[in-house]
Amino acid sequence: MAILEVNKMNKTYIGKVNYEALKNITLSVEEGEFVAIMGPSGSGKTTLLNCISTIDAPTGGTIHINKISPYALKEEELAAFRRQQLGFVFQDFNLVHTLTVQENILLPLALDRVAQDVMMERLAKVTTILGIQHLLTKRTFEISGGQAQRVAIARAIIHEPTLLLADEPTGNLDTKSVKDVMQLFTTVNQDMNTTILMVTHDAYVASFCQRVVFIKDGEFYNEVYKGNNRQQFYQSIVDNLAFLGGVTHDFS
Amino acid sequence: MTFHDIVWKNVVRDKWTYIAYFLSSVFSIFIFFSFAVSMFHPDLAVISNGSMLAISMTVGAILVYLFSFIFITFSIMAFMHNKKKTLGLFMLIGASKQQMHRMLFYENIIIGVSAIVTAIVAGVICSPLFLLLSRKVLQIDGFAFYMPFKAIGITVLLFLTLFMIVAFISPRMLRTTQIIQLVKGDKQGEKAAVFSRVKWLIGMGMLACIPATIVWLPQQIEENTLMQLCLFLLFLGGLYVVFYQSIQGVLQRIRQSSSFMQGTRPLVVSNLMSDVRANTKMMYLVTILLLGAFFAIIILYLFSTNVAKDTRSNYPFVYTYASHVDNTHEQQHLTIIDDKLNQQPGFAKQELAILVEEDERVGYISNSQYNEAATLLHMSPINLQASEVAIVAGNVGVIPQKDIETQPLDKALLAVKNVIEKNITPTGYFSRLIVLQDEDYTKINKATLSAMTFTNYTFENWTQFIEQDRALNQVLQGNIYERASLFSAVGLYNTERISKNLALYIGFMLALIFIAASLSMIYFRLITHVDRERQQFKSLCKMGLSLQQFHRIINHQLAFLMLVPFVIAVMLVLLALLLAQQLFTSSAVIIVGSITLFALLQLTGYLYVRKYYKKSLLTM
């Protein structure tokens, strides 16, 4: 079953000079899939993700998430939709600095008025998967970047969203943390069967996914499936990037 | 963890962001409450001048309330801007609009309620002091400490309503439903603004309109409240445009100059320019607040120091007993007054016989009598020839008409020799006095005129005569009939002085609130970007910025933000006082004195803020 269906979507920024950020994008993501979107800077990766995230309305075409078209929803329904169906992870973590780690993770559930015991149960589950039980009482400025991103992932998955969206989740992390965080995404994808759509410019990060979609100048360019061999998958990602004018990464 | 917990923690853990706003709110509520304590004092009914106190305090309280409303609304707007990112994040995670509204509502209520409670506790503790002040200002006895339940009630009620209204309105300011704009709120720089000479000139034109209208249409301005309001709005608008464009212009000129890339200059200038809109808005508001504070204090102070002089220009003699010719009690009254006054040092008495034309309220006196009165008032005597007249003003500050139409005399004979702009009778009693040569005076046609006698008294140290004046009034009260009246400069002085003192007292409190608000705005502006600045200076230090250069940058930046509004406010006050010069001659010392005092306060504030801002940038 397709969780995400994007059909002929356009996004044009109106200004002194109109700028077409996305042209006719069609994309389908199946349930339980882990997909990366890649492309050179300015190719429209983040715009695509923002449109899917329901935070930046497309100017044409349709988006369906779990058979629902979010932009057709009323404001209150849209808020509930975000709260229940979507999870977000950002490059710069976006944790609320006035809240502790635990409070940050529980925030989506609190907004949805989930019962206290269910909250604690789910908290225990995600923190065990992500290995952040010892951080719960800390404030956001007391933890490292890698830890902050884990907290952000915990917050994004605690309500068991239909679709987890990640925008350059490793962009601010060191090599060791990149590997840890990506392994966590894989775990979340496999153990909780969460569908993940991620934007990255890093071939190494993308190689953790099952499929990579390349876009260039706002248009669909190519896609690559993982198959059985990750090394080969990495190589074909790098090859594609080379055509696009991207960068390669040392495979560690 | 519930939604309420989140809201609560969001405020409590972010208390340093709120502290300046909180303290200024507390301060406003405190002043309001203190006024209310005097306003509702149970002794008020029995003391004289009680109603005046109540009215003044009510006016003060209303002003404080109005100002609080504006200040609180403005602060909330600034906070919303500051918290854009957090708000966007909450919405992204799926907070519904209703939840966002509720969150902002609770936030306001939490701050509001804690501010009210703090202010009232402080107010009750300090209320004996305030009552003492009220007592001193009014020079009355009694007015003891009491438990001001009524004042507490009204303060809680009014300010809770205020916070409720603001809390209700503020979420609606969050117009942008585009979450992406909110989430990126803190990263979006301001669009660079460009200096426009045309706009600058328009602003200057708007400002120039004000003195021009005052000079050309003084009458209309005095009479038309709408016009006054328009001028005020024109001033506020014009000042904003000029402020904004001038700062743009100056910064851009520096940026384009050849010596721009020298030392720390590029850093200071670009720092100021990066938030030029927000900075200008803050500086503009601080200027307005300081102007409010300066005017409140200087003008009210000037009024209160000139009371004695003003009183004597209204009532030229300390006492004037005005009696019609058919007043049978005249001798009896004059004896009572003589007995009271003739022991005073410098006692002098003079009788002025006046013929009154009742319809036009014009009085006729003889040259010799005028000279007697003028000598007592240290005015120069006049010497009229036959057929000459002098015209003396009947009202303070009104130049008398020169034409002589209603003439009981043959008008062809008369020529106006002198016009004396200073009145010698109580202001308003006559429209003008006409002085005639002694011989002409005897020939006057008395048919249409009624005769009056003005008995004038002067003595020294009359401002100390308040107690005796009260006693004198008591004796004469009920004895004065409609055929006579007593004008007492002492009584007028006392009433005027008390009301001016009250006005000064309230003005001083308002000025304090304005200054507190202006400091709170500066604090808020700095705290908004302290994280970003800290980051920036950290990386600049890595690049080789010396500590000395760091100090220089901060000193210059803060001096610009804090001292420019002050200097502009002072200049505008001086300009305004210069325009209204005829009102305040000989008060230059006071003006310079109070400005020096303000300058010292501001400088202390600058040094203090500078020290703590640097400290907070260097730690962590």
Side-chain angles (χ1 to χ4, degrees):
Chain A
M1 191 186 82
I3 287 291
L4 171 69
E5 271 178 298
V6 177
N7 194 17
K8 291 183 182 158
M9 192 184 74
N10 290 300
K11 174 75 187 176
T12 310
Y13 288 106
I14 310 289
K16 277 181 186 157
V17 180
N18 288 355
Y19 171 64
E20 265 194 298
L22 293 174
K23 300 166 208 163
N24 258 340
I25 295 280
T26 299
L27 174 72
S28 173
V29 178
E30 295 295 314
E31 183 172 7
E33 226 185 335
F34 186 1
V35 179
I37 300 169
M38 294 192 80
S41 322
S43 59
K45 303 183 296 272
T46 301
T47 309
L48 175 60
L49 196 76
N50 281 344
C51 287
I52 296 170
S53 315
T54 74
I55 61 175
D56 198 5
T59 43
T62 57
I63 297 174
H64 285 91
I65 299 168
N66 213 3
K67 306 240 181 316
I68 300 165
S69 170
Y71 289 104
L73 296 175
K74 289 196 194 98
E75 215 164 331
E76 293 302 307
E77 291 169 343
L78 183 60
F81 177 79
R82 273 191 209 116
R83 207 153 64 208
Q84 287 151 10
Q85 311 265 1
L86 299 180
F88 299 97
V89 179
F90 303 90
Q91 179 174 2
D92 46 6
F93 325 131
N94 277 344
L95 299 173
V96 180
H97 72 99
T98 50
L99 302 179
T100 62
V101 166
Q102 173 171 338
E103 286 156 359
N104 260 292
I105 299 174
L106 289 176
L107 191 55
L109 298 183
L111 290 173
D112 213 21
R113 301 183 188 289
V114 171
Q116 196 71 19
D117 49 338
V118 179
M119 269 189 191
M120 287 306 144
E121 200 181 296
R122 296 220 198 142
L123 181 72
K125 190 176 158 196
V126 293
T127 49
T128 320
I129 292 176
L130 297 170
I132 49 174
Q133 300 97 317
H134 61 291
L135 299 176
L136 290 178
T137 53
K138 296 210 165 158
R139 292 286 290 277
T140 54
F141 44 78
E142 295 171 319
I143 57 179
S144 73
Q147 289 171 328
Q149 198 55 300
R150 279 192 238 183
V151 173
I153 295 172
R155 187 180 67 185
I157 61 171
I158 190 152
H159 53 300
E160 293 167 2
T162 322
L163 180 62
L164 175 60
L165 300 161
D167 187 3
E168 302 270 13
T170 56
N172 274 348
L173 302 179
D174 60 279
T175 323
K176 167 81 170 64
S177 300
V178 168
K179 196 173 176 186
D180 289 350
V181 163
M182 287 321 295
Q183 269 161 2
L184 284 175
F185 270 109
T186 316
T187 313
V188 167
N189 175 243
Q190 280 161 7
D191 292 4
M192 299 173 71
N193 200 29
T194 308
T195 315
I196 305 175
L197 184 66
M198 176 178 78
V199 160
T200 183
H201 63 272
D202 186 330
Y204 171 71
V205 169
S207 71
F208 282 86
C209 304
Q210 289 153 9
R211 173 159 63 116
V212 180
V213 175
F214 294 94
I215 57 173
K216 188 189 180 190
D217 298 332
E219 284 177 300
F220 177 79
Y221 177 76
N222 193 7
E223 61 183 339
V224 186
Y225 284 87
K226 186 175 194 172
N228 292 326
N229 190 333
R230 189 163 154 215
Q231 179 70 50
Q232 217 169 22
F233 184 45
Y234 175 72
Q235 197 52 52
S236 59
I237 296 170
V238 172
D239 290 346
N240 267 294
L241 283 179
F243 277 115
L244 287 168
V247 287
T248 58
H249 191 290
D250 289 327
F251 188 43
S252 46
Chain B
M1 192 181 75
T2 61
F3 184 64
H4 295 87
D5 293 338
I6 296 176
V7 176
W8 174 250
K9 280 165 187 161
N10 227 346
V11 177
V12 173
R13 299 218 182 107
D14 218 6
K15 49 185 172 296
W16 292 111
T17 313
Y18 294 103
I19 194 82
Y21 165 61
F22 172 77
L23 286 179
S24 325
S25 299
V26 167
F27 193 60
S28 305
I29 303 171
F30 173 77
I31 301 285
F32 179 91
F33 176 73
S34 305
F35 285 164
V37 169
S38 298
M39 211 155 80
F40 294 120
H41 198 282
D43 287 359
L44 213 55
V46 287
I47 53 172
S48 59
N49 299 319
S51 60
M52 197 159 74
L53 176 78
I55 291 166
S56 317
M57 289 298 178
T58 313
V59 170
I62 289 171
L63 286 176
V64 172
Y65 191 73
L66 278 180
F67 173 74
S68 306
F69 193 90
I70 296 166
F71 172 72
I72 289 170
T73 314
F74 177 82
S75 306
I76 293 290
M77 270 160 72
F79 279 120
M80 302 272 287
H81 189 76
N82 204 18
K83 297 186 77 178
K84 255 187 184 169
K85 187 173 176 170
T86 312
L87 296 176
L89 206 61
F90 270 87
M91 282 168 88
L92 194 56
I93 288 170
S96 65
K97 201 159 192 181
Q98 202 191 353
Q99 280 174 321
M100 298 303 294
H101 285 195
R102 198 130 31 98
M103 185 169 93
L104 292 168
F105 186 81
Y106 287 151
E107 244 174 51
N108 284 327
I109 293 297
I110 291 171
I111 298 171
V113 167
S114 44
I116 292 173
V117 170
T118 317
I120 288 184
V121 170
V124 171
I125 294 169
C126 297
S127 70
L129 183 72
F130 269 85
L131 287 172
L132 184 77
L133 269 174
S134 296
R135 198 159 60 199
K136 279 264 180 271
V137 169
L138 282 179
Q139 302 194 312
I140 43 168
D141 300 324
F143 231 50
F145 173 74
Y146 74 113
M147 199 55 206
F149 289 114
K150 207 168 166 186
I152 292 176
I154 202 112
T155 309
V156 170
L157 186 77
L158 283 176
F159 275 90
L160 208 57
T161 320
L162 193 155
F163 277 107
M164 290 279 228
I165 294 171
V166 172
F168 193 72
I169 300 171
S170 66
R172 275 152 192 78
M173 296 176 205
L174 199 69
R175 272 289 154 81
T176 35
T177 39
Q178 288 284 42
I179 302 173
I180 189 157
Q181 284 168 7
L182 292 176
V183 177
K184 290 188 176 164
D186 64 333
K187 275 185 210 138
Q188 280 167 341
E190 285 180 354
K191 234 187 250 169
V194 189
F195 170 68
S196 147
R197 184 158 303 181
V198 179
K199 284 185 189 158
W200 188 79
L201 285 174
I202 291 174
M204 280 312 248
M206 281 162 84
L207 286 185
C209 278
I210 297 162
T213 3
I214 291 173
V215 170
W216 285 326
L217 306 164
Q219 205 70 36
Q220 281 90 324
I221 291 168
E222 215 164 291
E223 286 160 7
N224 197 337
T225 329
L226 189 71
M227 190 131 164
Q228 290 168 1
L229 191 72
C230 283
L231 279 185
F232 184 62
L233 291 178
L234 198 68
F235 169 71
L236 290 184
L239 188 66
Y240 183 72
V241 176
V242 170
F243 218 102
Y244 187 63
Q245 295 298 338
S246 305
I247 289 176
Q248 293 287 327
V250 169
L251 289 179
Q252 253 166 43
R253 169 99 12 130
I254 297 175
R255 193 169 232 184
Q256 280 156 7
S257 72
S258 56
S259 59
F260 173 61
M261 289 306 284
Q262 290 293 312
T264 54
R265 195 174 296 167
L267 285 170
V268 177
V269 174
S270 60
N271 252 357
L272 289 169
M273 278 193 98
S274 71
D275 290 309
V276 75
R277 268 171 230 265
N279 283 338
T280 315
K281 214 183 277 173
M282 188 274 287
M283 287 163 78
Y284 169 72
L285 284 168
V286 170
T287 309
I288 297 287
L289 287 171
L290 288 176
L291 267 180
F294 290 178
F295 272 119
I297 292 184
I298 291 183
I299 291 189
L300 291 173
Y301 186 70
L302 286 179
F303 277 146
S304 69
T305 48
N306 284 336
V307 172
K309 224 176 116 204
D310 287 348
T311 307
R312 285 303 287 276
S313 49
N314 280 308
Y315 291 0
F317 293 95
V318 180
Y319 284 96
T320 297
Y321 181 82
S323 168
H324 286 268
V325 73
D326 52 353
N327 172 20
T328 48
H329 295 77
E330 183 173 338
Q331 277 320 308
Q332 180 201 340
H333 288 158
L334 286 177
T335 323
I336 297 173
I337 298 169
D338 278 3
D339 283 351
K340 281 275 177 198
L341 304 184
N342 59 20
Q343 302 304 319
Q344 294 302 314
F347 173 83
K349 181 181 170 185
Q350 188 262 335
E351 276 185 22
L352 205 57
I354 305 184
L355 291 167
V356 188
E357 207 279 296
E358 296 270 3
D359 291 342
E360 298 281 324
R361 303 227 41 93
V362 177
Y364 295 91
I365 55 173
S366 69
N367 191 351
S368 56
Q369 290 235 301
Y370 172 81
N371 283 351
E372 274 178 38
T375 321
L376 271 189
L377 293 174
H378 308 291
M379 290 158 69
S380 42
I382 54 174
N383 192 11
L384 297 172
Q385 302 300 317
S387 300
E388 283 180 343
V389 296
I391 299 177
V392 184
N395 292 297
V396 166
V398 179
I399 299 166
Q401 288 177 315
K402 267 187 177 181
D403 57 310
I404 312 164
E405 286 209 23
T406 51
Q407 277 308 318
L409 284 170
D410 187 355
K411 69 172 135 184
L413 287 175
L414 298 169
V416 178
K417 189 184 180 195
N418 305 66
V419 175
I420 293 140
E421 293 175 12
K422 198 177 171 318
N423 54 318
I424 61 164
T425 48
T427 181
Y429 200 95
F430 296 109
S431 63
R432 53 192 174 147
L433 286 179
I434 293 174
V435 189
L436 300 159
Q437 194 218 12
D438 288 2
E439 207 171 312
D440 286 344
Y441 187 74
T442 55
K443 286 189 242 160
I444 204 162
N445 174 11
K446 297 193 179 67
T448 57
L449 305 176
S450 64
M452 286 190 77
T453 314
F454 275 51
T455 314
N456 296 316
Y457 298 90
T458 60
F459 50 88
E460 285 163 16
N461 299 332
W462 58 281
T463 53
Q464 313 295 317
F465 203 63
I466 293 159
E467 282 308 310
Q468 294 95 312
D469 178 68
R470 223 167 264 161
L472 183 65
N473 265 324
Q474 245 150 30
V475 177
L476 286 180
Q477 224 166 35
N479 267 327
I480 299 241
Y481 301 97
E482 58 178 81
R483 305 311 295 159
S485 39
L486 180 69
F487 297 90
S488 156
V490 182
L492 181 68
Y493 168 76
N494 198 29
T495 331
E496 284 290 296
R497 200 186 42 136
I498 287 173
S499 62
K500 296 280 157 67
N501 277 354
L502 263 178
L504 181 64
Y505 172 42
I506 288 165
F508 183 69
M509 291 298 165
L510 287 178
L512 279 185
I513 292 181
F514 287 164
I515 288 172
S518 77
L519 284 177
S520 137
M521 276 174 192
I522 292 168
Y523 177 86
F524 188 70
R525 183 80 211 121
L526 293 176
I527 202 96
T528 308
H529 292 310
V530 75
D531 286 329
R532 197 184 70 184
E533 295 288 291
R534 194 182 289 143
Q535 216 67 44
Q536 191 189 332
F537 279 113
K538 223 187 256 172
S539 40
L540 283 173
C541 285
K542 282 180 196 156
M543 283 169 56
L545 183 85
S546 72
L547 204 60
Q548 195 192 354
Q549 282 171 323
F550 164 79
H551 284 292
R552 260 180 70 132
I553 293 174
I554 300 297
N555 291 355
H556 289 183
Q557 205 173 322
L558 287 187
F560 187 79
L561 291 178
M562 292 184 73
L563 300 182
V564 167
F566 179 80
V567 171
I568 291 177
V570 167
M571 274 171 13
L572 285 171
V573 168
L574 287 178
L575 201 70
L577 290 178
L578 213 66
L579 276 173
Q581 199 181 15
Q582 60 263 52
L583 277 177
F584 320 107
T585 41
S586 83
S587 24
V589 182
I590 294 154
I591 295 170
V592 171
S594 28
I595 285 176
T596 319
L597 185 73
F598 281 129
L600 281 176
L601 272 177
Q602 187 75 9
L603 209 62
T604 321
Y606 164 69
L607 292 174
Y608 191 78
V609 167
R610 199 173 85 173
K611 191 176 154 201
Y612 281 87
Y613 185 58
K614 278 182 188 167
K615 210 169 136 191
S616 79
L617 279 181
L618 287 174
T619 47
M620 275 177 76

